[in-house]
Amino acid sequence: MASVTSLSDSVQQHLASALSATLPEAAGADPLLRRSDRADFQANGILALAKKAKANPRELATQVVSRVVAGDVIKDVEVSGPGFLNITIADGAITENLAARYADETGRLGVPYAGHPGTTVIDYAQPNVAKEMHVGHLRSAVIGDAVVQLLEFTGENVVRRHHIGDWGTQFGMLIQYLDEHPHELDHKDAQVTGEEAMSNLDRLYKAARGKFDSDEEFKTRARRRVVDLQAGDPQTLAMWQKFVDESKIYFFSVFEKLDMEIQDPDIVGESGYNDMLADTCRMLEESGVAVRSEGALCVFFEDVKGPDGKPVPLIVQKSDGGYGYAATDLSAIRDRVFNLKASTLLYVVDARQALHFKMVFETARRAGWLNDDVKAHQLAFGTVLGKDGKPFKTRAGETVKLQDLLDEAVERATAVVREKAEKVGLTEQEITENGRYVGIGAVKYADLSTSAVRDYKFDLDQMVSLNGDTSVYLQYAYARVQSILRKAGEARPAAHPELELAPAERALGLHLDQFAETVLEVAADYEPHKLAAYLYQLASLLTTFYDQCPVLKADTAEQVENRLFLVDLTARTLHRGMALLGIRTPEKL
């Protein structure tokens, strides 16, 4: 089905025609239309046009109003203040627009695809092999997944990349210990849970670290193993692969708990770029982008200086010949641009790495790998804080394990769901399932409803509350509509454009019309918090509508049908919007 033209676009077209008819030189000018408390929309663009044309703004506004075609879409336009236009939409236009969105059989609610789609490679959810995922991994995974959903929904070709930490000197110690204790990761054909896999890795890591710190001969053997690993020794690589495979069992269990789909081919860790590192360094040195300094291969920047005022370089290759993170990141850029044909590279990475990525991107630009047609962007995110406003830690001062945090969220949410279970007739299976959806949704929404770059406080009590700006409030609004639809009997949702709308119906309808432009804007700017804000306002308007406009007890059969249509479209919009944030909407709650 074709996309639905929004009411704001229709009004914009009417105003643009009236403007160019009044002032031919204003053809193509932006009327600066926005939602308003004083009318449905307000246009402020005439003030700037009048100044440019040396005309009286209020007189110009009056002339424009006389040329606005009122009728099907615009009910009334009046001049306000020094030359603002206050525009009221016809009730029938609101209902007809929403009816077109409701009739969209694709489930897109009339949302168009973005123009000129490209290929975005998005780097997110970056855990480390043989290490427990902690609360710091939460934001990269949740924000990245939401942006993937949004970009794909708007028509972008998206390539996921999970740049896991699967390489480095620490593997020499682990591999050597496994070589000397070969059955530590044997499963004897038994299925291993993610928790068991992490327990195996944690036990092995502690034992290897203890041996490394206390046994000089073992330390020497472990360091030799690093050389074997980097040289591609088959036996050493086979043991390294055991750590990667064991870690993936754990990773996938955590991502499944987060209700995120991650495919094995999308996981391309640091090791995936090993074969490119030497070429990357050679290309940078031959082109003069990087230079040798005290034996290391470095890229210098005039605007990046240390406390002593001296330039701080990006070190691509160390003086001992080893490669740093920069070499890997630059090789990944080459792969993503030239092999994956990316037009946009998006990195969902901690804000504290901003300087590193600024230097990496600038290096890639100097090398010609990034340009006007291929751009790189760091979607930086802030820190998860405890209720005290300090970085989130356990009472013992340790970093909070992600799995523990998610389990507690589900436990708290299940208790909330159970309290209302009898009233809505939930089975034990539904209580368990909804507890999971509510708990994980609460964690995701708390993260996504905050601008990514800002820190936020992790407060489970608030997250699972039915009141306030929480996912539970939105999920409850959706479930409430489903309850009304189940109680509707033979009455069915149907649009009646001939009906006059109450103020709460108009407010709800006009907000529903904004869903398409909100989604496109959010996807273009990588700002899922704006979609969360839109959905919260939608649920709030729905609450006001309930209070002021009886649905099943409306005055006429036509009014019942029209209000059922309004709440059903609201529920569909909540369902679609929440899905784009990676959050489920239970039918009963």
Side-chain angles (χ1 to χ4, degrees):
M1 177 177 170
S3 59
V4 178
T5 302
S6 68
L7 291 169
S8 59
D9 279 351
S10 295
V11 172
Q12 187 104 355
Q13 290 164 17
H14 278 75
L15 290 182
S17 297
L19 267 172
S20 58
T22 307
L23 204 65
E25 60 268 35
D30 187 353
L32 298 181
L33 191 70
R34 61 179 179 83
R35 288 298 309 278
S36 170
D37 294 335
R38 304 192 174 196
D40 294 334
F41 292 99
Q42 187 174 77
N44 301 337
I46 286 176
L47 274 70
L49 287 171
K51 186 176 182 182
K52 197 173 179 181
K54 295 184 171 56
N56 180 298
R58 192 172 172 89
E59 287 177 9
L60 180 60
T62 304
Q63 292 174 42
V64 170
V65 168
S66 70
R67 288 179 168 83
V68 171
V69 179
D72 291 346
V73 176
I74 296 176
K75 179 183 178 182
D76 183 48
V77 188
E78 63 175 28
V79 180
S80 170
F84 303 133
L85 299 184
N86 287 340
I87 300 134
T88 302
I89 306 295
D91 286 352
I94 295 173
T95 304
E96 284 177 359
N97 175 280
L98 299 183
R101 297 189 183 284
Y102 190 74
D104 184 352
E105 294 177 356
T106 66
R108 294 183 60 81
L109 304 174
V111 179
Y113 290 101
H116 312 296
T119 295
T120 294
V121 177
I122 177 167
D123 190 325
Y124 68 108
Q126 308 111 341
N128 295 308
V129 165
K131 286 188 180 178
E132 187 116 33
M133 290 175 71
H134 55 77
V135 69
H137 291 109
L138 177 68
R139 301 211 72 184
S140 175
V142 169
I143 295 167
D145 187 56
V147 172
V148 166
Q149 303 301 328
L150 284 158
L151 290 176
E152 288 187 332
F153 185 70
T154 56
E156 183 78 353
N157 175 40
V158 178
V159 180
R160 300 160 171 82
R161 277 294 175 265
H162 308 297
H163 192 88
I164 64 172
D166 66 351
W167 205 248
T169 55
Q170 73 274 21
F171 285 100
M173 175 184 81
L174 294 169
I175 290 166
Q176 186 59 34
Y177 187 85
L178 184 61
D179 192 26
E180 296 174 13
H181 303 79
H183 302 297
E184 282 291 312
L185 292 181
D186 288 355
H187 298 148
K188 300 181 178 64
D189 298 325
Q191 286 280 65
V192 177
T193 66
E195 207 167 314
E196 289 168 340
M198 192 63 243
S199 177
N200 291 338
L201 291 165
D202 191 48
R203 185 185 69 251
L204 200 150
Y205 182 87
K206 285 176 180 173
R209 170 55 70 182
K211 184 95 169 162
F212 187 85
D213 291 341
S214 63
D215 186 335
E216 285 300 320
E217 289 184 5
F218 176 80
K219 186 181 287 188
T220 301
R221 294 195 299 276
R223 285 174 172 162
R224 197 179 304 132
R225 217 58 195 253
V226 175
V227 178
D228 293 341
L229 178 64
Q230 292 175 341
D233 172 61
Q235 186 189 357
T236 303
L237 281 173
M239 277 187 286
W240 165 81
Q241 189 63 49
K242 282 190 175 186
F243 285 100
V244 175
D245 293 342
E246 193 82 4
S247 298
K248 282 182 179 179
I249 294 171
Y250 163 68
F251 295 159
F252 285 131
S253 74
V254 176
F255 291 130
E256 186 179 358
K257 194 164 281 190
L258 265 172
D259 202 12
M260 281 173 52
E261 185 181 345
I262 289 199
Q263 303 290 338
D264 197 58
D266 301 333
I267 298 176
V268 182
E270 295 167 19
S271 63
Y273 306 102
N274 282 345
D275 294 344
M276 301 177 69
L277 301 180
D279 266 352
T280 296
C281 291
R282 179 186 55 77
M283 293 164 79
L284 292 173
E285 189 169 11
E286 287 181 356
S287 63
V289 172
V291 295
R292 292 285 168 185
S293 176
E294 298 178 19
L297 186 63
C298 304
V299 183
F300 289 93
F301 308 87
E302 288 184 8
D303 60 339
V304 182
K305 294 179 180 175
D308 58 0
K310 293 182 179 178
V312 176
L314 180 71
I315 300 174
V316 184
Q317 187 177 26
K318 302 170 191 173
S319 56
D320 63 2
Y323 301 106
Y325 288 123
T328 304
D329 288 333
L330 288 163
S331 297
I333 288 176
R334 284 177 53 215
D335 176 62
R336 294 166 185 184
V337 171
F338 299 109
N339 295 333
L340 299 178
K341 309 299 182 188
S343 48
T344 302
L345 304 180
L346 187 59
Y347 294 77
V348 188
V349 184
D350 192 315
R352 288 170 292 190
Q353 295 189 48
L355 179 59
H356 170 77
F357 278 99
K358 176 186 175 183
M359 293 195 289
V360 165
F361 295 161
E362 176 57 28
T363 299
R365 270 190 287 273
R366 292 179 187 180
W369 305 334
L370 297 176
N371 49 47
D372 290 343
D373 298 321
V374 186
K375 294 181 171 62
H377 175 73
Q378 182 194 356
L379 178 45
F381 56 82
T383 305
V384 180
L385 307 174
K387 290 183 185 180
D388 58 1
K390 297 176 181 177
F392 199 28
K393 304 275 188 184
T394 64
R395 286 183 182 176
E398 297 169 354
T399 304
V400 178
K401 295 176 181 178
L402 182 53
Q403 195 142 343
D404 291 348
L405 181 145
L406 298 178
D407 287 342
E408 187 180 352
V410 170
E411 189 179 318
R412 296 268 195 101
T414 303
V416 170
V417 171
R418 193 176 292 282
E419 282 178 22
K420 295 184 174 287
E422 193 175 335
K423 186 178 177 183
V424 293
L426 293 180
T427 65
E428 189 61 34
Q429 183 180 343
E430 286 173 326
I431 291 171
T432 301
E433 189 174 79
N434 287 359
R436 193 169 73 250
Y437 294 160
V438 171
I440 298 304
V443 170
K444 288 184 174 183
Y445 187 85
D447 195 310
L448 294 169
S449 58
T450 305
S451 173
V453 77
R454 289 177 54 200
D455 301 340
Y456 79 94
K457 290 182 181 179
F458 196 94
D459 183 349
L460 269 179
D461 292 329
Q462 173 57 29
M463 288 179 189
V464 298
S465 170
L466 284 167
N467 303 310
D469 188 5
T470 66
S471 70
V472 195
Y473 177 64
L474 304 185
Q475 288 168 322
Y476 184 67
Y478 175 82
R480 197 174 181 185
V481 172
Q482 300 313 309
S483 175
I484 289 173
L485 294 172
R486 284 193 295 272
K487 292 175 183 174
E490 293 186 9
R492 290 287 175 267
H496 288 277
E498 73 280 4
L499 291 178
E500 188 176 324
L501 298 176
E505 290 176 296
R506 288 179 58 83
L508 184 60
L510 287 166
H511 193 66
L512 284 167
D513 175 61
Q514 287 185 289
F515 179 64
E517 57 196 59
T518 300
V519 167
L520 292 175
E521 178 190 334
V522 164
D525 296 336
Y526 315 128
E527 293 183 324
H529 70 280
K530 290 185 177 178
L531 177 57
Y534 169 88
L535 294 171
Y536 174 61
Q537 190 178 352
L538 180 61
S540 301
L541 289 167
L542 182 65
T543 300
T544 304
F545 168 85
Y546 282 138
D547 293 342
Q548 298 179 9
C549 304
V551 178
L552 300 180
K553 294 182 179 179
D555 295 337
T556 66
E558 289 79 14
Q559 203 171 45
V560 169
E561 290 175 346
N562 201 61
R563 288 179 178 174
L564 281 172
F565 148 72
L566 262 178
V567 296
D568 193 13
L569 180 58
T570 302
R572 292 184 188 190
T573 305
L574 281 168
H575 176 76
R576 171 56 69 190
M578 294 285 269
L580 291 173
L581 296 178
I583 300 172
R584 307 258 186 170
T585 42
E587 297 291 307
K588 293 180 184 178
L589 202 58

